[in-house]
Amino acid sequence: MPTSRFPLTAARYAPPQQHLPGTTCLLTLPLADILTADDVAPLRRELLAEERVCPAGPPGAAARHTARKRYFAAWDARLDAACHAPGAHTRNLLRSSTVARAVRAELHRAAEAQHFGLLAYCVLPNHLHLLLRLPPAAEAVVSLKTALHRFKTRSAQQANTLLGRNGAFWETASHELRLPDETDTNELQRVVAYLRRQPVALGLASATAPEQWPHLYVAADFWWS
């Protein structure tokens, strides 16, 4: 049976989460045409089934966060597997160091414009992981939705120019996992450690020196041992 190649909308990923001022989020932005609706739909059904039985109050919030982390892990594993799938070299547009550098530059430009605090990111052949912190309400310049739209538009234009191509570069939808409490240092450590392991897991960097992957960035305050 052929896979469904219709665009993945945000509704076909995890349900959206509130972008509260000061929130810390892990965003994953896949390139276009990497995953299909058939890839994502079973995972989302499992997540929604888990969330429906979560209790109310703080215990329920913790259970939903755990469910979303499992969903993210399964979804990201599919992106990683797609990096090495047959024909992947034609879709892994971020494998180009020139394109990856352009994406990184645009991320830093967005952060400098006070759209968000840039804590860490990892540019991989077919997707981007981005750990960011939203500014306090009084300092917010634009919404996260607007900031991401601007970033994706500008970086896509640059990438397509560098690659001599036309068409969609980023998938319309992205995945987000909101960290429950920005003061939870252990949670931040786990996320940063995950990003540092990604180049190693994909065979892009040595296990003894993951920081040598040129498209991994971690803010100085988050380089835990």
Side-chain angles (χ1 to χ4, degrees), residues 31 85 100 104 162-163 209-210 222:
L31 295 181
R104 289 166 48 204
L162 290 168
L163 294 168
F222 294 92

Side-chain angles (χ1 to χ4, degrees), residues 94-107:
L94 288 169
R95 73 186 187 281
S96 163
S97 291
T98 304
V99 172
R101 284 196 296 270
V103 168
R104 289 166 48 204
E106 188 58 36
L107 274 177

Side-chain angles (χ1 to χ4, degrees), residues 14-158:
Q17 301 181 64
Q18 285 185 297
H19 300 144
L20 302 176
T23 296
T24 301
C25 299
L26 174 62
L27 300 176
T28 300
L29 282 61
L31 295 181
D33 297 326
I34 300 299
L35 296 182
T36 69
D38 289 347
D39 294 322
V40 175
L43 301 178
R44 189 172 189 275
R45 284 196 295 269
E46 291 177 12
L47 172 64
L48 292 175
E50 284 193 65
E51 290 192 327
R52 278 195 293 269
V53 298
C54 288
R64 281 189 293 274
H65 181 64
T66 298
R68 288 178 182 239
K69 287 198 294 185
R70 281 197 295 267
Y71 172 87
F72 165 77
W75 182 78
D76 197 45
R78 281 163 168 72
L79 284 174
D80 291 347
C83 283
H84 302 298
H89 67 283
T90 64
R91 298 188 295 273
N92 292 347
L93 303 180
L94 288 169
R95 73 186 187 281
S96 163
S97 291
T98 304
V99 172
R101 284 196 296 270
V103 168
R104 289 166 48 204
E106 188 58 36
L107 274 177
H108 286 276
R109 190 212 63 78
E112 290 167 2
Q114 298 181 337
H115 291 167
F116 47 75
L118 196 55
L119 306 184
Y121 63 74
C122 189
V123 183
L124 298 166
N126 66 11
H127 62 289
L128 163 68
H129 290 303
L130 172 61
L131 180 64
L132 58 81
R133 180 168 296 154
L134 299 182
E139 300 175 15
V141 178
V142 297
S143 67
L144 178 58
K145 180 179 179 180
T146 297
L148 287 178
H149 175 74
R150 290 178 181 176
F151 160 73
K152 292 170 78 171
T153 298
R154 291 168 177 165
S155 58
Q157 290 171 344
Q158 294 177 47

Side-chain angles (χ1 to χ4, degrees), residues 12 14 29 40 46 54 56 75 85 113 172 189 198 202 208 216 224:
R12 295 191 183 105
L29 282 61
V40 175
E46 291 177 12
C54 288
W75 182 78
T172 303
Q189 286 179 331
Q198 283 290 281
L202 292 176
T208 58
L216 169 69
W224 294 286

